[in-house]
Amino acid sequence: MQTKTTISVILKDGSKREIPEGSSGIDLAKSISNSLVKKSVGLVLNDELKDITTILKDSDKVEIITQNDPRSYEFLRHSTAHVLAEAVQNLFKDAKIAIGPVIEDGFYYDFEIPSHTLTPDDLMKIEKEMQRLIDEEQQFIRVNINDTDKQLSDFKTQGEKFKAELLEQYKNESPTLYILEDRSGKPVWNDFCRGPHLTNTKQIKAFKLLSVSGAYWRADETKESLQRIYGTSWWSKEELDTHLQKLEEAEKRDHRKLGRQMDLFSMHDETGPGLILWHPSLAYVRKQMEDYWKDLHEKKGYEIVYSPHIAKTDLWDISGHNEFYRENMFYMTVDEQDYVLKPMNCPFHVLIFKSKRHSYRELPIRMAELGTVYRYERSGVMHGLARVRGFTQDDAHIFCRRDQYVEEIKGVIQLIDIIYKGFGLNYFAELSTKPKDAIGTKEIWDFAEAGLEQALKEYGLDYKINPEDGAFYGPKIDFKLKDAIGRVWQGATVQLDFNLPNRFDLKYTEKDGSQQQPVMIHRAIYGSLERFAALLIEHFAGSFLLWLSYKQVIVMPIADRHLEYSEKIYNLLKENNIKAVFDQRAESINAKIRDAELEKIPYMIIIGDKEIADNVISVRAKKKGNLGTLQTNIFIEQILKEIKEKGI
RNA sequence: GCCGAUAUAGCUCAGUGGUAGAGCAACGGUUUUGUAAACCGUAGGUCGUCAGUUCGAAUCUGACUAUCGGCUCCA
C-alpha cells in the first residue's frame, strides 16, 4: 500500500512540507517530531478546526493544535460533552439528547428525560459513569452520513427526535456522525455532530460536572423543556483546580454575599423583587460616584436636568415606548388617566429640547440626568444589584449638528476614559452596526456608522465590530469593563438615535434659515448606578478605594487612659473632612484590629502610651499591616492627597 | 414567565413526626489590653405565608411569596 506519491502542505510559518499522499494530521505531526505527536490535539485546516485524523490534501494550509493552544479546549470540551451524553443515556434509558456545545471554560448538554428529574446528587453518579467510559479508552470515529434518509429513520426509531430535527435541517451540508467505539471496535454510542473531536476518550484528563438547570429546545420557550447539565474539562488536574479556585474566588466576591456581610444594601419581601435599599456605606460609594460624575459633566459642558418619575401614556405613545416597550413598563391609572412609570429618560429630555426654538449656534446641547427608571423584568431574571426593576441611569442626550457629531462622540469617549480611570478599571470597545430590521435610510446609517468609527479611530481606541448588532433605531458603541478576576461587565453605551428626533419632529434653525433635524446621541457611562456598584463591590472584593470608603480611618485607643488623646485625633480628622470613626469599645487592641480588617477600613490609627508621649500616631493599613508612627498633620496631608488622587 | 433547588434567631448553619439548637453579632457585667478574636452572663424564633394530613408538623402534602442555579452560547 506504500505510495511514492507525495503531497505538499503549507505549515503555519508558511514553510512547505512534503508528506506521502494519504497522510493524516497525526502522520504530519510524526514527521515533525515524536514529542509533538503526544501533545497534538487537532488541526486548523484551511482556517477550520478539524480532527487530527483528517487526511490531508495537496497544498492544504495546516496548523497542528497542541494542548498549549487555547483552541485545543474546543476539542476536549466538545468530546467531554459527548461522553457526558453517553453516560446519561447509559444511566437513564429514556434520555434523549439535544445539543451539547462548548461554552466559555466548559460545555453543556441538553437532555429530555421523561422518567427522571436530575438532581445535583445525580451529577456524582454521572461523573462516575463518565470516568468509566474514559477508562474504556473509547475511540471517536467520524463517518459521513451518506444515506440521510436511513439515518433519519434510525434517529426516529431510537426516539432521537431532536437529532432527527437537526439532521433534517443540515442534511444538505455533508452531515457527519461521530461514533464511539470500545476497544474491540464495537460501536457503543453515536451522535450527529459536526465535530471536531479528540481521537480517544482517554485524552480527557480532568473534568467536573457543575450544575443542572432547565433550558428550552432551541432556546424557545414554546418548545420542549429540557434538562441541562453544565460541566468543565481541562488538560490536567492542576488546570481544573485552578479553574475551580477561580469559581470559588468569584463566589467570595459575589456582591449579594458581600452586600449582606458588609451591610451595603438590602432587599425585602415587603418592597417587592428588584427594588434596592442602599445602606449608608454603599450610599456613600454612590454619592462619590454621583459627585464625581456631576463635577466632570459640568466641566465637559453638560447641563444637569431633572424629570419626573411618571408621565401620561400620551408621551410614551409619541416616543413609541407604549408600542415597542410595553411589556417592560409599569402602568397605573389615576383620575381615569393612564400613567407610565418611566422606563427611560429620553422623552423628557427631548421635551426640554422641544420647549423652545433652537439656533444652530446653540448646538451642541448636552443634557444629563441621574434619572431613576423602572422596568418590568421577568420574575426569574433578577440578580442582586446587577439586574433590578428600579435603577438609576447616568443618562445624557446630546443634540447636535451633523458636522459636530464626530467631535461629540470623541468627547463622550474621553469622558468615559476619565471616569473609568478614576475607578482603576480597564475596558474595551465594541461597535455594533445596522441590524436586519432597522429604521432609517441607508444614507443615515452609513453616516452614523462611519462617524462612530471615525471617532474611535481618531481617539485611538481599539475596538471590535459586532455586525448587525445595533439597536433598530441606530448603531452603538458598547464599552465592556474587565474586573480584577478577568470577568467582563457591560459598561457604557453610546447610541445614535434616528427614531426620537423623527417622532418628536425635532428641529433647529440653520445658518441659511432652513429647519434641520438635530442628530441625537444617547449615552450612559456607569450604565446603571446599581449595576456599577455591583461591579465595584466584586472588582474590589468589597475593599473599596479610599475615596469611595464610607469609613476611611478608624481611631483605636489601646486602653481607656488613651481615650482623651484619641478623641482629639478623631476630631482633627473629622475637621479635615476625613471619614473617621472612633472605636471606644472596651475590647483588646487585637480584637479592634480584627474587626477593622473585616470591615475593610483602609487606615487604622492605634494610640497607646508611646504615641501620647511622642505626640504621634501609629498607622496601620488594611491588609498591609503596621506602617509605623507619623505626625498627625503629615498623615492628614497624605490621606487627603490620596483621596484627591483617587488612589490610582 | 418556564425548569429545578432552597426558605429555622440580625448573620452562618444544625435539627426527617413527640418540649426549637450552636457559633458569631446584640445587650449587661468583669477585664485596661501594643498590630487579626479577653472572660462570664442575658436576651433573642408563630421554623417564609396560608391551607391540609395527623392524637401531635420545623419535619409529610398542596397553593402562594421570595431567594438561588439556569432558560444568550446551536450538529
Side-chain angles (χ1 to χ4, degrees):
Chain A
M1 286 288 279
Q2 280 288 339
T3 172
K4 292 265 160 49
T5 332
T6 61
I7 55 167
S8 166
V9 294
I10 304 154
L11 300 183
K12 187 188 170 192
D13 60 4
S15 69
K16 288 191 175 170
R17 195 168 185 95
E18 301 281 321
I19 47 170
E21 192 178 2
S23 294
S24 70
I26 296 185
D27 299 326
L28 173 66
K30 273 185 200 150
S31 81
I32 295 170
S33 83
N34 270 327
S35 60
L36 182 62
V37 178
K38 269 189 217 155
K39 301 199 78 179
S40 298
V41 176
L43 303 174
V44 185
L45 186 62
N46 306 321
D47 301 324
E48 255 185 275
L49 293 183
K50 290 285 184 190
D51 294 349
I52 189 85
T53 52
T54 309
I55 304 297
L56 304 175
K57 296 191 299 294
D58 194 39
S59 68
D60 271 345
K61 256 170 60 192
V62 189
E63 182 185 347
I64 295 174
I65 295 181
T66 67
Q67 292 183 5
N68 301 327
D69 188 311
R71 289 168 295 183
S72 68
Y73 292 105
E74 284 265 337
F75 294 79
L76 173 65
R77 291 176 182 148
H78 200 169
S79 301
T80 314
H82 272 214
V83 174
L84 164 63
E86 184 184 357
V88 168
Q89 291 200 308
N90 286 350
L91 295 172
F92 305 98
K93 293 301 171 196
D94 62 338
K96 299 299 172 238
I97 53 178
I99 55 163
V102 173
I103 54 175
E104 196 184 349
D105 288 339
F107 59 88
Y108 67 77
Y109 215 111
D110 286 346
F111 304 93
E112 187 181 60
I113 316 175
S115 68
H116 184 79
T117 300
L118 293 169
T119 66
D121 292 338
D122 291 327
L123 295 183
M124 286 222 322
K125 273 196 336 221
I126 298 168
E127 277 178 0
K128 235 175 124 187
E129 174 65 7
M130 286 172 73
Q131 191 57 54
R132 195 183 67 77
L133 300 171
I134 289 166
D135 293 340
E136 267 189 7
E137 306 191 356
Q138 298 186 351
Q139 291 263 352
F140 286 89
I141 311 286
R142 176 190 177 96
V143 293
N144 293 318
I145 300 175
N146 297 320
D147 189 344
T148 314
D149 291 339
K150 181 178 181 307
Q151 187 60 53
L152 264 173
S153 82
D154 282 357
F155 277 145
K156 282 178 187 156
T157 334
Q158 293 156 9
E160 294 290 2
K161 56 178 171 178
F162 305 111
K163 287 295 161 188
E165 187 180 326
L166 290 168
L167 177 55
E168 189 69 50
Q169 180 185 345
Y170 290 101
K171 64 182 173 191
N172 297 323
E173 298 178 30
S174 29
T176 53
L177 200 65
Y178 273 81
I179 297 174
L180 278 160
E181 283 183 2
D182 68 11
R183 261 178 273 195
S184 69
K186 194 178 108 205
V188 288
W189 192 76
N190 73 67
D191 191 359
F192 170 57
C193 178
R194 174 174 54 186
H197 279 286
L198 302 172
T199 55
N200 194 298
T201 56
K202 73 176 171 194
Q203 289 168 281
I204 299 168
K205 298 296 185 197
F207 71 96
K208 189 169 172 56
L209 300 182
L210 297 173
S211 61
V212 281
S213 70
Y216 302 103
W217 172 236
R218 306 220 144 190
D220 181 342
E221 44 194 273
T222 63
K223 300 224 162 94
E224 288 90 334
S225 200
L226 306 172
Q227 305 192 56
R228 175 172 295 181
I229 298 178
Y230 284 92
T232 186
S233 185
W234 300 83
W235 290 120
S236 67
K237 174 107 176 38
E238 290 70 38
E239 279 186 359
L240 174 64
D241 288 345
T242 307
H243 177 67
L244 295 177
Q245 272 163 23
K246 202 180 132 188
L247 293 181
E248 239 172 77
E249 175 62 26
E251 213 170 295
K252 264 190 248 161
R253 288 168 180 260
D254 191 316
H255 72 276
R256 294 166 302 180
K257 198 169 166 177
L258 287 170
R260 212 176 303 117
Q261 272 169 16
M262 298 180 66
D263 190 18
L264 299 174
F265 67 94
S266 60
M267 292 171 303
H268 301 265
D269 287 6
E270 295 87 334
T271 56
L275 300 168
I276 305 298
L277 303 188
W278 296 66
H279 295 198
S281 47
L282 193 64
Y284 186 75
V285 174
R286 173 167 172 167
K287 179 181 181 294
Q288 293 299 87
M289 283 164 63
E290 291 179 356
D291 289 351
Y292 181 46
W293 184 91
K294 282 184 191 158
D295 180 51
L296 281 167
H297 279 69
E298 281 174 348
K299 280 189 184 133
K300 295 287 175 188
Y302 285 78
E303 296 165 292
I304 307 267
V305 298
Y306 295 96
S307 60
H309 285 75
I310 62 173
K312 295 200 298 186
T313 40
D314 306 37
L315 178 66
W316 310 102
D317 282 333
I318 303 172
S319 69
H321 286 86
N322 202 20
E323 189 180 348
F324 297 110
Y325 209 67
R326 191 173 189 90
E327 61 219 30
N328 288 295
M329 301 200 291
F330 288 98
Y331 288 83
M332 62 183 102
T333 305
V334 182
D335 285 346
E336 292 173 25
Q337 173 65 58
D338 291 334
Y339 284 84
V340 172
L341 202 43
K342 70 171 169 184
M344 294 188 195
N345 304 299
C346 20
F348 295 102
H349 296 185
V350 168
L351 287 183
I352 295 173
F353 180 86
K354 215 177 141 72
S355 63
K356 66 170 187 179
R357 296 193 73 109
H358 294 281
S359 145
Y360 71 96
R361 294 175 211 269
E362 287 173 64
L363 303 184
I365 289 173
R366 309 185 189 94
M367 256 182 248
E369 176 177 9
L370 292 165
T372 303
V373 297
Y374 294 86
R375 297 180 185 174
Y376 172 77
E377 295 281 357
R378 302 209 289 177
S379 62
V381 304
M382 255 79 69
H383 183 90
L385 296 171
R387 189 90 182 261
V388 291
R389 285 183 176 164
F391 59 98
T392 301
Q393 281 186 306
D394 66 313
D395 213 356
H397 298 94
I398 300 171
F399 303 90
C400 66
R401 305 190 308 257
R402 283 193 167 209
D403 62 292
Q404 295 170 321
Y405 166 54
V406 172
E407 274 312 301
E408 284 306 306
I409 298 285
K410 272 161 71 178
V412 172
I413 297 173
Q414 188 199 27
L415 190 51
I416 291 168
D417 190 55
I418 295 170
I419 290 183
Y420 287 172
K421 280 191 177 136
F423 295 92
L425 292 164
N426 294 318
Y427 64 91
F428 58 92
E430 293 179 358
L431 174 62
S432 297
T433 57
K434 187 177 182 221
K436 288 210 171 70
D437 297 317
I439 60 156
T441 60
K442 182 177 184 314
E443 184 264 329
I444 190 142
W445 272 92
D446 287 347
F447 159 77
E449 286 174 6
L452 288 177
E453 197 152 11
Q454 188 188 342
L456 283 164
K457 280 193 178 131
E458 285 182 18
Y459 193 82
L461 192 62
D462 281 338
Y463 61 95
K464 197 184 94 184
I465 293 186
N466 286 333
E468 301 186 0
D469 207 29
F472 73 93
Y473 53 80
K476 62 174 181 174
I477 306 173
D478 284 313
F479 289 77
K480 309 276 176 155
L481 292 155
K482 237 179 170 165
D483 77 7
I485 55 173
R487 295 170 306 175
V488 173
W489 297 65
Q490 174 65 45
T493 55
V494 185
Q495 294 190 357
L496 204 73
D497 187 348
F498 317 136
N499 185 39
L500 287 183
N502 247 329
R503 282 178 167 269
F504 282 89
D505 193 25
L506 298 187
K507 289 190 183 105
Y508 69 93
T509 309
E510 247 313 341
K511 205 173 190 170
D512 61 8
S514 65
Q515 295 298 303
Q516 298 291 332
Q517 191 170 82
V519 173
M520 184 172 172
I521 302 164
H522 299 247
R523 42 110 292 186
I525 296 178
Y526 295 132
S528 117
L529 297 185
E530 282 75 5
R531 190 177 56 204
F532 200 83
L535 159 64
L536 292 179
I537 294 167
E538 300 205 5
H539 175 66
F540 295 119
S543 193
F544 295 115
L545 295 170
L546 186 66
W547 75 281
L548 296 168
S549 294
Y550 179 55
K551 296 177 183 175
Q552 294 170 327
V553 181
I554 182 163
V555 180
M556 307 190 294
I558 289 172
D560 285 353
R561 63 179 177 280
H562 311 124
L563 275 169
E564 196 186 327
Y565 179 87
S566 297
E567 189 165 12
K568 265 197 282 185
I569 303 292
Y570 166 68
N571 287 330
L572 199 55
L573 293 169
K574 296 292 271 184
E575 279 162 30
N576 282 279
N577 293 319
I578 292 163
K579 305 277 289 180
V581 285
F582 188 13
D583 188 347
Q584 304 188 55
R585 294 175 306 162
E587 284 288 355
S588 70
I589 192 67
N590 281 328
K592 289 178 186 177
I593 288 168
R594 183 182 142 85
D595 290 345
E597 288 280 353
L598 289 177
E599 260 199 87
K600 305 184 201 293
I601 300 172
Y603 290 105
M604 288 158 249
I605 289 177
I606 295 164
I607 289 164
D609 295 334
K610 281 181 272 181
E611 287 73 19
I612 295 176
D614 298 344
N615 195 27
V616 291
I617 56 176
S618 262
V619 180
R620 181 189 162 98
K622 160 182 76 179
K623 286 191 240 164
K624 296 198 188 90
N626 193 355
L627 300 183
T629 55
L630 268 184
Q631 302 281 340
T632 311
N633 57 346
I634 292 176
F635 173 73
I636 289 175
E637 217 172 274
Q638 284 180 4
I639 195 169
L640 288 175
K641 185 162 172 270
E642 190 184 336
I643 290 168
K644 199 171 161 206
E645 289 171 354
K646 309 213 179 305
I648 304 299

